[in-house]
Amino acid sequence: MTGTGSDSCTAVIGNVRMTLYTHHPAREAQGLMLMCHGNSGNAEALRDFALPLSERLGLIIVAPLFDRKRFPPVAYQRGHITDGHGRPRPPEQWATRLVPALIDWALDGGSLPYWLWGFSAGAQFLSRVAAFQPLRIAPERIVIVSPSVHVQPLLGRWPSGEAAPYGLGGVFHGDEEQEVQRRYLERPVTLCVGAEDHEATDPTLGRNRAARRQGPDRLARAARTFDLGAMTALRLGCDFGWQLKIVPGVGHSARDMLEPLRAMAIMDLLPETRPEAQRLREGLPFELVPGRRSGPKIRVGGRWFDLPRKS
């Protein structure tokens, strides 16, 4: 990528021709942010929401378009990991394989730190990337923002585990299966959700059996997945690289999550002394107050918190 400012182009990525919406900051580039859009398919808008962040931090933005015709939910949100009958596909057919190819295209032989950021449907896609896809170059963080469902860090099948694409079961075998499970838990994954994103009747919320097992809404599902990850890592004795960040005053909004100071706190790019960073540090929710006796609750890190009430 050359020049500065916003642009779009088409490129062949892993033998797939894709439209890419890009932005190069006016200052010298300090990093790369690959952004995966939501169910609306508006990659251009997602890039535009990130422009103030790009200029502030010196981040190159690349937002690929995953069009509905070639990337229906089984291919985009669920990564094409399995077919319509739940049978695993060979890795060369996974849509997640496009992510390392996109990073190689964007870096063009250079070397910059990079972040993966996905919102809603794009966060579901990045959940499959984090769980299944080998990455030659490790990202700074894989930021999974407000997905409908997550990949549970479980092997096997329900009720003792969870099969792909909602868990890790059934894709790998023997020692490789446990190696992939550990890799997933050790990766720098940030599960991020708005404190107001707890609408159980949202029509875009996944409602199949595997989705419902994760909880009634996005907020509960993020907390349950994080809790399950922490307990599984403890049981396996492996490192746990995940964070949970519950963002106050935000519902299901890509624009709000990408407000520069808020996004910097989510990405661990604010000094620890800043209030925004302190509130989101170490996955501890804030404006979720323990101790009241009534109202909807959520379990995070072994503690119960009340959900914020709507005014």
Side-chain angles (χ1 to χ4, degrees), residues 251-294:
H252 196 65
S253 171
R255 183 195 296 268
D256 289 348
M257 286 293 193
L258 285 164
E259 186 278 325
L261 283 178
R262 185 175 285 134
M264 289 166 67
I266 291 167
M267 297 166 68
D268 287 343
L269 294 176
L270 276 182
E272 290 295 306
T273 54
R274 290 293 296 258
E276 298 90 344
Q278 291 178 340
R279 291 168 181 166
L280 292 173
R281 191 173 58 231
E282 296 175 358
L284 296 176
F286 63 117
E287 295 194 358
L288 298 179
V289 182
R292 295 199 299 269
R293 295 186 178 181
S294 62

Short mmCIF file of all heavy atoms in Angstrom, two decimals, residues 251-294:
data_model
loop_
_atom_site.label_atom_id
_atom_site.label_comp_id
_atom_site.label_asym_id
_atom_site.label_seq_id
_atom_site.Cartn_x
_atom_site.Cartn_y
_atom_site.Cartn_z
N GLY A 251 -24.32 0.08 23.29
CA GLY A 251 -25.11 -1.08 22.88
C GLY A 251 -24.43 -1.78 21.72
O GLY A 251 -23.21 -1.94 21.70
N HIS A 252 -25.23 -2.15 20.73
CA HIS A 252 -24.68 -2.89 19.58
C HIS A 252 -24.32 -1.90 18.48
O HIS A 252 -25.06 -1.71 17.52
CB HIS A 252 -25.71 -3.91 19.09
CG HIS A 252 -25.14 -4.96 18.21
ND1 HIS A 252 -24.20 -5.88 18.64
CD2 HIS A 252 -25.34 -5.25 16.89
CE1 HIS A 252 -23.88 -6.68 17.66
NE2 HIS A 252 -24.54 -6.31 16.58
N SER A 253 -23.17 -1.25 18.64
CA SER A 253 -22.78 -0.16 17.74
C SER A 253 -21.31 -0.21 17.41
O SER A 253 -20.45 -0.02 18.29
CB SER A 253 -23.11 1.19 18.39
OG SER A 253 -22.57 2.26 17.63
N ALA A 254 -20.99 -0.44 16.13
CA ALA A 254 -19.60 -0.41 15.69
C ALA A 254 -19.02 0.99 15.81
O ALA A 254 -17.86 1.17 16.21
CB ALA A 254 -19.51 -0.90 14.24
N ARG A 255 -19.81 2.00 15.46
CA ARG A 255 -19.33 3.39 15.52
C ARG A 255 -18.93 3.76 16.95
O ARG A 255 -17.85 4.33 17.17
CB ARG A 255 -20.42 4.33 15.03
CG ARG A 255 -19.98 5.81 14.97
CD ARG A 255 -21.19 6.72 14.84
NE ARG A 255 -21.90 6.51 13.61
CZ ARG A 255 -21.67 7.20 12.48
NH1 ARG A 255 -20.72 8.13 12.46
NH2 ARG A 255 -22.37 6.95 11.40
N ASP A 256 -19.78 3.42 17.92
CA ASP A 256 -19.47 3.78 19.31
C ASP A 256 -18.23 3.07 19.82
O ASP A 256 -17.42 3.65 20.55
CB ASP A 256 -20.66 3.47 20.21
CG ASP A 256 -21.84 4.40 19.99
OD1 ASP A 256 -21.67 5.44 19.29
OD2 ASP A 256 -22.94 4.09 20.49
N MET A 257 -18.06 1.81 19.46
CA MET A 257 -16.88 1.06 19.91
C MET A 257 -15.59 1.64 19.34
O MET A 257 -14.52 1.50 19.94
CB MET A 257 -17.01 -0.41 19.52
CG MET A 257 -18.02 -1.19 20.34
SD MET A 257 -17.51 -1.37 22.05
CE MET A 257 -18.68 -2.63 22.60
N LEU A 258 -15.68 2.30 18.18
CA LEU A 258 -14.49 2.82 17.52
C LEU A 258 -14.22 4.29 17.83
O LEU A 258 -13.33 4.89 17.23
CB LEU A 258 -14.59 2.61 16.01
CG LEU A 258 -14.35 1.15 15.58
CD1 LEU A 258 -14.84 0.90 14.16
CD2 LEU A 258 -12.87 0.79 15.70
N GLU A 259 -14.95 4.86 18.77
CA GLU A 259 -14.57 6.18 19.27
C GLU A 259 -13.14 6.08 19.76
O GLU A 259 -12.79 5.13 20.47
CB GLU A 259 -15.52 6.59 20.39
CG GLU A 259 -15.32 8.00 20.91
CD GLU A 259 -14.20 8.12 21.91
OE1 GLU A 259 -14.00 7.17 22.69
OE2 GLU A 259 -13.49 9.15 21.89
N PRO A 260 -12.24 7.00 19.37
CA PRO A 260 -10.81 6.75 19.55
C PRO A 260 -10.36 6.36 20.96
O PRO A 260 -9.65 5.36 21.12
CB PRO A 260 -10.16 8.07 19.10
CG PRO A 260 -11.10 8.57 18.05
CD PRO A 260 -12.47 8.21 18.54
N LEU A 261 -10.73 7.12 21.98
CA LEU A 261 -10.26 6.77 23.32
C LEU A 261 -10.82 5.43 23.77
O LEU A 261 -10.12 4.63 24.41
CB LEU A 261 -10.65 7.87 24.32
CG LEU A 261 -9.80 9.13 24.29
CD1 LEU A 261 -10.33 10.14 25.30
CD2 LEU A 261 -8.33 8.83 24.56
N ARG A 262 -12.07 5.17 23.41
CA ARG A 262 -12.68 3.90 23.80
C ARG A 262 -11.96 2.74 23.09
O ARG A 262 -11.63 1.72 23.71
CB ARG A 262 -14.17 3.93 23.43
CG ARG A 262 -14.94 2.71 23.88
CD ARG A 262 -16.41 2.90 23.56
NE ARG A 262 -17.06 3.83 24.46
CZ ARG A 262 -17.88 4.81 24.09
NH1 ARG A 262 -18.14 5.02 22.81
NH2 ARG A 262 -18.45 5.58 24.99
N ALA A 263 -11.73 2.89 21.79
CA ALA A 263 -11.05 1.82 21.05
C ALA A 263 -9.62 1.62 21.55
O ALA A 263 -9.14 0.48 21.63
CB ALA A 263 -11.06 2.15 19.56
N MET A 264 -8.94 2.71 21.88
CA MET A 264 -7.57 2.58 22.40
C MET A 264 -7.55 1.82 23.72
O MET A 264 -6.65 1.01 23.97
CB MET A 264 -6.95 3.96 22.55
CG MET A 264 -6.63 4.64 21.23
SD MET A 264 -6.28 6.41 21.39
CE MET A 264 -4.75 6.36 22.32
N ALA A 265 -8.55 2.05 24.57
CA ALA A 265 -8.63 1.31 25.82
C ALA A 265 -8.90 -0.17 25.55
O ALA A 265 -8.30 -1.05 26.17
CB ALA A 265 -9.72 1.89 26.71
N ILE A 266 -9.78 -0.45 24.61
CA ILE A 266 -10.09 -1.84 24.26
C ILE A 266 -8.84 -2.54 23.73
O ILE A 266 -8.59 -3.72 24.02
CB ILE A 266 -11.23 -1.87 23.22
CG1 ILE A 266 -12.55 -1.41 23.85
CG2 ILE A 266 -11.39 -3.27 22.63
CD1 ILE A 266 -13.64 -1.12 22.85
N MET A 267 -8.03 -1.83 22.95
CA MET A 267 -6.84 -2.40 22.32
C MET A 267 -5.60 -2.37 23.21
O MET A 267 -4.51 -2.74 22.78
CB MET A 267 -6.55 -1.66 21.01
CG MET A 267 -7.65 -1.79 19.98
SD MET A 267 -7.50 -0.60 18.63
CE MET A 267 -6.01 -1.18 17.80
N ASP A 268 -5.75 -1.90 24.46
CA ASP A 268 -4.61 -1.77 25.39
C ASP A 268 -3.58 -0.76 24.90
O ASP A 268 -2.37 -0.95 25.07
CB ASP A 268 -3.93 -3.12 25.63
CG ASP A 268 -4.76 -4.04 26.50
OD1 ASP A 268 -5.68 -3.56 27.18
OD2 ASP A 268 -4.49 -5.25 26.51
N LEU A 269 -4.06 0.32 24.29
CA LEU A 269 -3.15 1.33 23.76
C LEU A 269 -3.29 2.68 24.48
O LEU A 269 -2.85 3.70 23.98
CB LEU A 269 -3.39 1.52 22.25
CG LEU A 269 -3.05 0.30 21.40
CD1 LEU A 269 -3.40 0.54 19.94
CD2 LEU A 269 -1.57 -0.05 21.53
N LEU A 270 -3.88 2.66 25.68
CA LEU A 270 -3.92 3.84 26.54
C LEU A 270 -3.01 3.60 27.74
O LEU A 270 -2.91 2.48 28.24
CB LEU A 270 -5.34 4.09 27.04
CG LEU A 270 -6.30 4.87 26.14
CD1 LEU A 270 -7.62 5.06 26.87
CD2 LEU A 270 -5.74 6.22 25.74
N PRO A 271 -2.37 4.66 28.24
CA PRO A 271 -1.59 4.49 29.47
C PRO A 271 -2.47 3.97 30.59
O PRO A 271 -3.65 4.30 30.68
CB PRO A 271 -1.09 5.92 29.77
CG PRO A 271 -1.14 6.62 28.45
CD PRO A 271 -2.29 6.03 27.70
N GLU A 272 -1.90 3.14 31.44
CA GLU A 272 -2.68 2.52 32.52
C GLU A 272 -3.29 3.56 33.46
O GLU A 272 -4.25 3.26 34.16
CB GLU A 272 -1.78 1.57 33.31
CG GLU A 272 -1.40 0.32 32.53
CD GLU A 272 -2.59 -0.56 32.23
OE1 GLU A 272 -3.32 -0.91 33.17
OE2 GLU A 272 -2.80 -0.87 31.06
N THR A 273 -2.73 4.76 33.49
CA THR A 273 -3.25 5.78 34.41
C THR A 273 -4.51 6.45 33.87
O THR A 273 -5.20 7.14 34.62
CB THR A 273 -2.19 6.86 34.65
OG1 THR A 273 -1.74 7.38 33.37
CG2 THR A 273 -1.00 6.28 35.40
N ARG A 274 -4.80 6.29 32.59
CA ARG A 274 -6.01 6.90 32.05
C ARG A 274 -7.25 6.21 32.61
O ARG A 274 -7.29 4.99 32.70
CB ARG A 274 -6.02 6.81 30.52
CG ARG A 274 -5.00 7.69 29.83
CD ARG A 274 -5.32 9.17 30.03
NE ARG A 274 -6.58 9.54 29.42
CZ ARG A 274 -6.69 10.18 28.25
NH1 ARG A 274 -5.61 10.50 27.58
NH2 ARG A 274 -7.87 10.51 27.78
N PRO A 275 -8.28 6.97 32.98
CA PRO A 275 -9.50 6.35 33.53
C PRO A 275 -10.11 5.32 32.59
O PRO A 275 -10.59 4.27 33.03
CB PRO A 275 -10.44 7.53 33.73
CG PRO A 275 -9.55 8.73 33.85
CD PRO A 275 -8.36 8.44 32.99
N GLU A 276 -10.07 5.59 31.27
CA GLU A 276 -10.67 4.65 30.32
C GLU A 276 -9.97 3.29 30.38
O GLU A 276 -10.59 2.24 30.26
CB GLU A 276 -10.62 5.20 28.89
CG GLU A 276 -11.41 6.49 28.70
CD GLU A 276 -10.56 7.72 28.96
OE1 GLU A 276 -9.47 7.59 29.58
OE2 GLU A 276 -10.98 8.81 28.56
N ALA A 277 -8.63 3.33 30.54
CA ALA A 277 -7.87 2.09 30.60
C ALA A 277 -8.10 1.38 31.94
O ALA A 277 -8.24 0.16 32.00
CB ALA A 277 -6.38 2.37 30.41
N GLN A 278 -8.15 2.15 33.04
CA GLN A 278 -8.36 1.55 34.34
C GLN A 278 -9.69 0.82 34.40
O GLN A 278 -9.82 -0.26 34.97
CB GLN A 278 -8.28 2.62 35.43
CG GLN A 278 -6.89 3.19 35.62
CD GLN A 278 -6.85 4.28 36.67
OE1 GLN A 278 -7.87 4.87 37.00
NE2 GLN A 278 -5.67 4.56 37.19
N ARG A 279 -10.71 1.39 33.79
CA ARG A 279 -12.04 0.79 33.86
C ARG A 279 -12.14 -0.51 33.08
O ARG A 279 -12.93 -1.38 33.42
CB ARG A 279 -13.07 1.79 33.32
CG ARG A 279 -13.27 3.00 34.21
CD ARG A 279 -14.05 4.06 33.49
NE ARG A 279 -14.25 5.24 34.30
CZ ARG A 279 -14.66 6.41 33.83
NH1 ARG A 279 -14.91 6.54 32.54
NH2 ARG A 279 -14.83 7.44 34.64
N LEU A 280 -11.35 -0.63 32.01
CA LEU A 280 -11.43 -1.82 31.17
C LEU A 280 -10.34 -2.83 31.46
O LEU A 280 -10.31 -3.90 30.89
CB LEU A 280 -11.37 -1.42 29.70
CG LEU A 280 -12.58 -0.66 29.17
CD1 LEU A 280 -12.31 -0.17 27.75
CD2 LEU A 280 -13.81 -1.50 29.20
N ARG A 281 -9.40 -2.48 32.37
CA ARG A 281 -8.23 -3.31 32.59
C ARG A 281 -8.62 -4.67 33.18
O ARG A 281 -9.50 -4.78 34.03
CB ARG A 281 -7.26 -2.59 33.51
CG ARG A 281 -5.88 -3.25 33.61
CD ARG A 281 -4.92 -2.39 34.42
NE ARG A 281 -5.41 -2.15 35.74
CZ ARG A 281 -5.50 -0.96 36.30
NH1 ARG A 281 -5.14 0.11 35.62
NH2 ARG A 281 -5.96 -0.81 37.52
N GLU A 282 -7.93 -5.71 32.73
CA GLU A 282 -8.00 -7.05 33.30
C GLU A 282 -9.39 -7.67 33.22
O GLU A 282 -9.75 -8.52 34.03
CB GLU A 282 -7.52 -7.03 34.76
CG GLU A 282 -6.05 -6.64 34.88
CD GLU A 282 -5.61 -6.48 36.32
OE1 GLU A 282 -6.47 -6.64 37.21
OE2 GLU A 282 -4.43 -6.21 36.53
N GLY A 283 -10.17 -7.23 32.26
CA GLY A 283 -11.46 -7.86 32.06
C GLY A 283 -12.47 -7.59 33.14
O GLY A 283 -13.50 -8.25 33.23
N LEU A 284 -12.21 -6.63 34.03
CA LEU A 284 -13.16 -6.37 35.11
C LEU A 284 -14.22 -5.40 34.64
O LEU A 284 -13.92 -4.29 34.21
CB LEU A 284 -12.43 -5.78 36.32
CG LEU A 284 -11.40 -6.71 36.97
CD1 LEU A 284 -10.68 -5.97 38.10
CD2 LEU A 284 -12.07 -7.95 37.52
N PRO A 285 -15.49 -5.78 34.70
CA PRO A 285 -16.55 -4.88 34.25
C PRO A 285 -16.70 -3.71 35.20
O PRO A 285 -16.36 -3.79 36.37
CB PRO A 285 -17.80 -5.76 34.28
CG PRO A 285 -17.49 -6.80 35.29
CD PRO A 285 -16.01 -7.04 35.22
N PHE A 286 -17.17 -2.61 34.70
CA PHE A 286 -17.47 -1.49 35.56
C PHE A 286 -18.84 -0.95 35.17
O PHE A 286 -19.36 -1.24 34.11
CB PHE A 286 -16.41 -0.41 35.49
CG PHE A 286 -16.23 0.25 34.16
CD1 PHE A 286 -16.47 1.59 34.00
CD2 PHE A 286 -15.80 -0.48 33.06
CE1 PHE A 286 -16.29 2.20 32.78
CE2 PHE A 286 -15.62 0.13 31.83
CZ PHE A 286 -15.86 1.48 31.69
N GLU A 287 -19.43 -0.25 36.09
CA GLU A 287 -20.84 0.11 36.03
C GLU A 287 -21.73 -1.15 36.04
O GLU A 287 -22.85 -1.14 35.61
CB GLU A 287 -21.16 0.99 34.83
CG GLU A 287 -20.49 2.34 34.93
CD GLU A 287 -21.05 3.34 33.94
OE1 GLU A 287 -21.94 2.99 33.15
OE2 GLU A 287 -20.60 4.48 34.00
N LEU A 288 -21.16 -2.25 36.51
CA LEU A 288 -21.92 -3.46 36.83
C LEU A 288 -21.67 -3.71 38.31
O LEU A 288 -20.60 -4.16 38.70
CB LEU A 288 -21.45 -4.66 36.00
CG LEU A 288 -21.60 -4.56 34.49
CD1 LEU A 288 -21.07 -5.83 33.84
CD2 LEU A 288 -23.03 -4.34 34.09
N VAL A 289 -22.62 -3.36 39.14
CA VAL A 289 -22.36 -3.26 40.57
C VAL A 289 -22.85 -4.50 41.30
O VAL A 289 -24.03 -4.84 41.23
CB VAL A 289 -23.07 -2.02 41.16
CG1 VAL A 289 -22.75 -1.87 42.64
CG2 VAL A 289 -22.64 -0.77 40.39
N PRO A 290 -21.96 -5.22 42.00
CA PRO A 290 -22.40 -6.40 42.74
C PRO A 290 -23.14 -6.00 44.01
O PRO A 290 -22.94 -4.91 44.54
CB PRO A 290 -21.09 -7.11 43.06
CG PRO A 290 -20.08 -6.02 43.11
CD PRO A 290 -20.52 -4.99 42.10
N GLY A 291 -24.00 -6.87 44.48
CA GLY A 291 -24.56 -6.68 45.81
C GLY A 291 -26.04 -6.40 45.87
O GLY A 291 -26.66 -6.59 46.90
N ARG A 292 -26.64 -5.91 44.78
CA ARG A 292 -28.08 -5.69 44.83
C ARG A 292 -28.80 -7.03 44.73
O ARG A 292 -28.26 -8.01 44.24
CB ARG A 292 -28.51 -4.75 43.70
CG ARG A 292 -27.93 -3.35 43.82
CD ARG A 292 -28.74 -2.38 42.98
NE ARG A 292 -28.71 -2.72 41.57
CZ ARG A 292 -27.81 -2.26 40.70
NH1 ARG A 292 -26.85 -1.47 41.12
NH2 ARG A 292 -27.86 -2.60 39.43
N ARG A 293 -30.05 -7.05 45.15
CA ARG A 293 -30.74 -8.33 45.29
C ARG A 293 -31.68 -8.66 44.15
O ARG A 293 -32.19 -9.77 44.09
CB ARG A 293 -31.53 -8.33 46.60
CG ARG A 293 -30.64 -8.25 47.83
CD ARG A 293 -31.46 -8.40 49.10
NE ARG A 293 -30.63 -8.37 50.28
CZ ARG A 293 -31.08 -8.50 51.51
NH1 ARG A 293 -32.38 -8.64 51.73
NH2 ARG A 293 -30.25 -8.46 52.53
N SER A 294 -31.97 -7.73 43.27
CA SER A 294 -32.95 -8.00 42.23
C SER A 294 -32.42 -7.54 40.89
O SER A 294 -31.44 -6.81 40.80
CB SER A 294 -34.27 -7.28 42.54
OG SER A 294 -34.06 -5.88 42.56
#
